[in-house]
Amino acid sequence: MSNSSGENVRSTLLRGIQIEARNAKVYDTFAQLFQGYDDSVTAIFCEMADEERQHGTDLEQRYRARFGPVPVPAEEPKEVIEAPDLEDAEALIFDSMTLEQALEVGLKAELMAREFYQREAGRISDPDLQKLYQELGEFEEDHVRRLEEKLAEKGHAPKSTAR
Amino acid sequence: MATATQTQQGFVPVEALEKPWRFDLFRRWPWLKRLVRMRSFQYFLLLPNLFMFYLFLIAGLFGTPVGSSNIIIMYVWILWWFVLIAVMMPFGSRIWCTMCPLPFFGDWLQRGAVIKVRSGKSPGTNNKFFGLHKRWPKKLSNIWLQNFGFLLLATFSALLVTRPIVSVIVFGIMIVVATGLALIYRLRTFCNYVCPISGFLSLYAMTATLELRSTDKDECLKCTTKSCIRGSEDGWACPWNVYMGKLDRNNYCGLCFECVKSCPNDNISLFVRPFATSDIVIRGYDEVWKASIMLVLAFSYSVVLLGPYGQLKDWANISEVGNWGGFGLYAAGQALLALVVFPGLYYLSIRLAKWYAKIDNVSTKELFLRYAYMLVPMGLLAWIAFSVPLIMVNGSYIISVTSDPLGWGMDLFGTAHFPWTPFWPEWVPFIQVPILLAGFYYGVRGIHKVGRQLFSDPVQLHRSLVPPTALLLGVTLVFMKLFIG
Ligand code: SF4
Ligand code: SF4
Ligand code: SF4
C-alpha cells in the first residue's frame, strides 16, 4: 500500500466517523423536537441516533486498529452524504409526523450513503480504498435492509404531501 | 403519464419544484439583516401598533356608537382591511403578524420576557417557556376552526362593522383566548389553529412577493442544531413551529424573524419574488375549504353591499333591520354556498378533468387538492377588487374621524368636518376589471404549473386544465357582472 493510498483510506475512515457522529446529533435533535408528540416517533429517532453512534464506534475501532488514536475533528463534516432531514416543514404544525415517516427519514439518508459509497467503489482504482468503500457500502446496505424491514412491518405506504 | 419526479400518489419533492427568480434582500441590504436580527426589531413595529390598538378599543368602548364616526370602525374595518388585503398580503406575506397586537400578552407570559431570550429545555425547544406547554390536540391540528370562526365572524359582519362595541368585544375575546391558550399550549397555538384572521392570511400569503427562506438547503441538511425551529440563546423557538430547513411556502410563517436570529449558520434571508408563482401547493381539504369560503364571502359581500338586491341587504343587515328570519336565511345560504355548493362545483370540475384527460395515475384527491391553488390568486384579487370601492367611496370618513376619533365633536387636526367625498367613483370599475382578470390569469397560470408537475403529456395536461379553467372563468364573469353591472 502506497503512502497516498494509506492517507486516502485514513481520511475516508475519518470522514465516515465524523458523518456518523454528525448524524447521531441530528437524530438526537429530531428526537427532542418531537418530544411530547408521537412517542413512537421520538423513540425511533433515539434508536437511529444510537445506531449512528454504534456505526461510529465500529468505524473508530477500525481506524484505531490501522492508524492509532482517532483525532478530534476541528469542524463538522462538509459533506451532505447521509445527512438525514425532515421532509415536511409543517410536520409539527399539523402533527403529521408518523413512525413510518420517521423511518423514511433514516432510510432516505442510508440510501444516499449506500449509493455514494457504491459509486465511489466503482470509480476508484486504488484497491485498498476501493475495498473500504465496498465495506462501507455493505455497512449501509445492512442499515437500509433493517429500515426497510421495519417499514414493511408497519405496512408502509408511499408518502404524499397531502394531509 | 406521470413525470419522473412523481411517486404513486403524486408526491412532488420540494427539491423538484420549478423555482422562479428571487432577489436576496439581506444580501443586497446588509443593514436590513442587522435590523431584523436585533432582538427588539419586532417590538419596534408591535408596540406602536399595540398602543394604537389600545386607543381604538378605548374609542370603541367610550366613543360614539355610530360606526362611521368612530375610529375603531373606520380605521380597522376600512383602512386596516384595505391595507391588509391590498398591500400587506400581496407584497408583504404575513407581515401583519409581525406587528399584530393580539398575541402580545400571551407571548409575554409564555416567555416571561418581552425582548430577551431565555435558554432552557422546554419540550421540543432550546428555550425556557412558562405555562403548561401542552400539545394541541392532533384532531384540531388544522385550520378548520379558523375556517368556521371566520365564516361566523363574516356572517355577523354587519354588526361588526357598524357597532363599535361589537368590535371591542370580538377583539377582547381574541386577546383573552390567545393569552389563555399561550398559557396552556405550546408556542402560538392561537395563531396556528384558532385565529380567524390567520386562515386567510396563511392562504393568501402564498401569493406574496416576499418570502423568508433558508439560503442554502445543503447547509440545513448538515445542520445539527435546527435552531431555527428549536430556538437558541439568540432566538426563541419558531412560534409557528415551522422548520425553515424545508420551508417551501409562506402559509404558516408568521414573519417574526426569530429564526433569523437563532440560525447559527446565518443561513436565512428575506427574498423578493414574482407574484403568485412560487408557493403553489395546497396540502389539505381545510385549505381548499378556506379558499372556497373566502371566494364565496367576497361574492356574498359584493352582492349584499354593491348589488341592487334591497331585500338581501335588509336580511344581512341584522344590526339595523333586525329581521332574524331573513338573517337566518341569508346566513344559511351563505354557509351552504361556501361549504357545499362551491366546493361541489369545484369537485365536479375535477371529476370532469379526470374523465376528459383520461387521468388514471393521479388520484381525484390529489388533483382536487393541487388544482385548488387556482382559487388562491382569484380569491385574493376578488377581495382586492371588492375592497377598492370601500376605500374610494368611504375613505373620506377616515379623514374626518382622525380629527374626531370618538365622535365627541373634537377637531384635533382641523379635518373633523371633512365632508363625505367619494374619490373618483367613476374609475372604480376600470380598476376592478383588470384586478379580476389578473386573478383569473394567475389562477390559470398556477394550475398550469401544477399540472406540468403532474402530467408530462401536453395533451393530457391541457385537457385536465379545461374544466377547472371554465369554472374559474365563470367565477370571474360573475364578479365582473356584480362589479360593473
Ligand atoms: S395569526 Fe392572527 S393573532 Fe396571530 S399574529 Fe397573525 S393575525 Fe395576529
Ligand atoms: S438553523 Fe439555519 S442552517 Fe440550521 S436548519 Fe435552520 S435554517 Fe438551516
Ligand atoms: S419560520 Fe418561524 S421563526 Fe422564522 S420567521 Fe417564520 S414564524 Fe418566525
Side-chain angles (χ1 to χ4, degrees):
Chain A
M1 182 173 67
S2 70
N3 273 352
S4 74
S5 165
E7 178 51 28
N8 284 343
V9 171
R10 197 189 69 80
S11 60
T12 304
L13 258 179
L14 200 57
R15 187 176 58 183
I17 293 167
Q18 290 170 358
I19 287 174
E20 301 295 345
R22 193 251 334 260
N23 291 354
K25 277 194 218 163
V26 173
Y27 285 127
D28 279 336
T29 299
F30 289 157
Q32 286 155 15
L33 188 58
F34 286 94
Q35 252 176 43
Y37 289 84
D38 187 338
D39 288 343
S40 66
V41 168
T42 313
I44 201 72
F45 279 132
C46 286
E47 205 178 295
M48 288 196 263
D50 288 342
E51 278 189 22
E52 293 296 298
R53 271 189 283 272
Q54 186 55 48
H55 303 166
T57 312
D58 293 349
L59 291 178
E60 275 175 13
Q61 270 169 9
R62 295 178 60 158
Y63 185 98
R64 266 194 291 275
R66 280 185 79 169
F67 304 106
V70 183
V72 182
E75 52 178 18
E76 296 281 346
K78 299 259 180 291
E79 290 85 352
V80 288
I81 323 160
E82 205 195 330
D85 203 5
L86 302 177
E87 277 301 317
D88 181 0
E90 295 162 1
L92 277 154
I93 302 177
F94 295 106
D95 203 347
S96 58
M97 188 65 156
T98 59
L99 175 60
E100 287 80 356
Q101 283 165 350
L103 285 166
E104 271 186 8
V105 166
L107 181 62
K108 191 177 167 198
E110 301 294 351
L111 281 169
M112 260 163 55
R114 184 188 66 180
E115 204 180 297
F116 172 78
Y117 290 131
Q118 285 175 347
R119 201 176 49 236
E120 289 300 290
R123 193 178 62 82
I124 265 156
S125 53
D126 175 344
D128 213 25
L129 192 57
Q130 196 176 42
K131 187 160 165 272
L132 176 63
Y133 274 128
Q134 271 162 357
E135 283 170 9
L136 289 172
E138 281 159 19
F139 214 51
E140 301 303 344
E141 177 69 50
D142 189 39
H143 304 154
V144 167
R145 210 173 21 248
R146 285 227 301 278
L147 285 170
E148 279 175 345
E149 276 166 16
K150 278 188 186 156
L151 272 167
E153 270 169 35
K154 303 283 161 212
H156 162 68
K159 65 193 168 185
S160 163
T161 48
R163 278 187 275 118
Chain B
M1 189 203 295
T3 57
T5 52
Q6 189 197 336
T7 63
Q8 272 162 296
Q9 291 194 5
F11 170 72
V12 181
V14 157
E15 294 80 5
L17 296 176
E18 208 181 297
K19 293 279 167 232
W21 62 266
R22 60 180 191 173
F23 179 79
D24 188 337
L25 290 177
F26 285 175
R27 190 188 295 180
R28 180 72 181 81
W29 295 309
W31 59 264
L32 183 62
K33 182 159 83 181
R34 282 198 297 278
L35 186 75
V36 162
R37 286 180 76 115
M38 283 169 62
R39 281 248 39 94
S40 48
F41 169 72
Q42 193 179 5
Y43 297 94
F44 280 144
L45 300 175
L46 196 155
L47 291 177
N49 213 16
L50 185 68
F51 179 68
M52 293 288 290
F53 188 65
Y54 173 73
L55 291 184
F56 292 163
L57 292 183
I58 297 282
L61 272 177
F62 301 110
T64 170
V66 179
S68 58
S69 301
N70 193 307
I71 196 165
I72 191 171
I73 298 295
M74 288 299 117
Y75 267 59
V76 173
W77 298 122
I78 294 194
L79 184 62
W80 172 77
W81 175 259
F82 183 77
V83 173
L84 180 73
I85 205 82
V87 183
M88 288 192 192
M89 292 291 355
F91 300 109
S93 184
R94 299 191 68 156
I95 196 77
W96 166 253
C97 293
T98 313
M99 60 187 98
C100 172
L102 300 176
F104 172 78
F105 297 101
D107 275 0
W108 186 5
L109 293 175
Q110 195 183 60
R111 295 173 175 180
V114 173
I115 291 176
K116 80 167 191 189
V117 192
R118 202 185 296 276
S119 296
K121 282 282 161 233
S122 291
T125 74
N126 285 324
N127 302 117
K128 164 87 185 138
F129 289 98
F130 298 100
L132 303 179
H133 206 66
K134 280 181 181 280
R135 163 196 183 183
W136 180 248
K138 190 178 168 84
K139 281 204 161 57
L140 297 178
S141 295
N142 48 54
I143 64 166
W144 284 111
L145 274 182
Q146 296 175 345
N147 287 353
F148 294 123
F150 190 78
L151 188 57
L152 192 73
L153 275 187
T155 304
F156 287 92
S157 61
L159 279 175
L160 209 57
V161 303
T162 52
R163 303 272 178 96
I165 191 69
V166 177
S167 291
V168 174
I169 292 169
V170 168
F171 287 127
I173 291 174
M174 282 166 85
I175 292 175
V176 170
V177 174
T179 311
L181 290 180
L183 286 173
I184 301 170
Y185 295 101
R186 293 179 180 196
L187 307 167
R188 287 276 188 96
T189 290
F190 178 76
C191 297
N192 270 335
Y193 312 111
V194 183
C195 171
I197 309 165
S198 183
F200 78 82
L201 291 184
S202 68
L203 193 73
Y204 293 151
M206 296 175 83
T207 64
T209 57
L210 199 71
E211 65 176 26
L212 191 73
R213 295 286 188 276
S214 58
T215 46
D216 180 357
K217 297 276 181 222
D218 278 356
E219 196 62 57
C220 297
L221 263 180
K222 292 181 284 174
C223 172
T224 56
T225 62
K226 314 290 180 197
S227 308
C228 51
I229 181 164
R230 297 190 60 224
S232 72
E233 58 202 22
D234 298 317
W236 289 98
C238 171
W240 265 263
N241 241 341
V242 167
Y243 173 46
M244 182 50 81
K246 278 283 157 77
L247 186 62
D248 207 46
R249 49 182 212 156
N250 280 353
N251 302 48
Y252 304 102
C253 165
L255 286 182
C256 66
F257 297 103
E258 285 300 325
C259 54
V260 179
K261 300 171 180 94
S262 52
C263 172
N265 302 311
D266 192 11
N267 191 33
I268 299 174
S269 195
L270 195 60
F271 297 91
V272 171
R273 61 185 196 177
F275 178 72
T277 26
S278 300
D279 309 353
I280 48 168
V281 179
I282 294 273
R283 294 189 50 193
Y285 289 128
D286 49 351
E287 292 173 358
V288 180
W289 258 263
K290 177 87 241 174
S292 166
I293 289 169
M294 291 307 293
L295 201 60
V296 166
L297 285 178
F299 164 77
S300 160
Y301 280 8
S302 305
V303 170
V304 171
L305 296 178
L306 311 174
Y309 314 102
Q311 175 78 59
L312 208 59
K313 254 193 229 306
D314 286 350
W315 284 355
N317 192 358
I318 188 66
S319 66
E320 276 159 33
V321 181
N323 175 354
W324 283 97
F327 177 74
L329 274 178
Y330 156 78
Q334 183 171 267
L336 200 69
L337 210 56
L339 301 174
V340 182
V341 177
F342 188 76
L345 284 175
Y346 171 61
Y347 175 75
L348 216 60
S349 79
I350 293 300
R351 292 303 302 218
L352 272 174
K354 280 203 76 170
W355 167 77
Y356 184 48
K358 299 189 176 56
I359 301 166
D360 49 19
N361 52 354
V362 177
S363 68
T364 306
K365 176 183 176 182
E366 190 76 27
L367 205 62
F368 182 84
L369 293 180
R370 300 294 301 277
Y371 275 7
Y373 173 76
M374 71 178 190
L375 306 176
V376 177
M378 184 72 240
L380 174 66
L381 287 151
W383 269 102
I384 295 177
F386 162 76
S387 306
V388 165
L390 285 190
I391 195 83
M392 289 178 70
V393 175
N394 294 321
S396 56
Y397 284 126
I398 295 168
I399 299 174
S400 53
V401 94
T402 304
S403 277
D404 186 13
L406 294 116
W408 282 355
M410 292 185 271
D411 195 3
L412 298 175
F413 307 104
T415 58
H417 303 292
F418 192 88
W420 174 69
T421 319
F423 301 116
W424 308 289
E426 66 281 11
W427 281 96
V428 168
F430 296 101
I431 300 172
Q432 287 176 311
V433 169
I435 293 176
L436 281 177
L437 290 176
F440 175 69
Y441 166 76
Y442 281 110
V444 175
R445 201 179 132 165
I447 55 168
H448 185 256
K449 192 171 168 188
V450 169
R452 281 210 318 266
Q453 290 160 0
L454 295 173
F455 312 107
S456 57
D457 175 358
V459 177
Q460 194 178 34
L461 162 67
H462 290 122
R463 284 181 163 224
S464 77
L465 295 176
V466 173
T469 302
L471 177 65
L472 200 63
L473 182 65
V475 168
T476 313
L477 294 175
V478 167
F479 273 107
M480 272 194 197
K481 171 90 182 109
L482 278 171
F483 291 155
I484 58 179

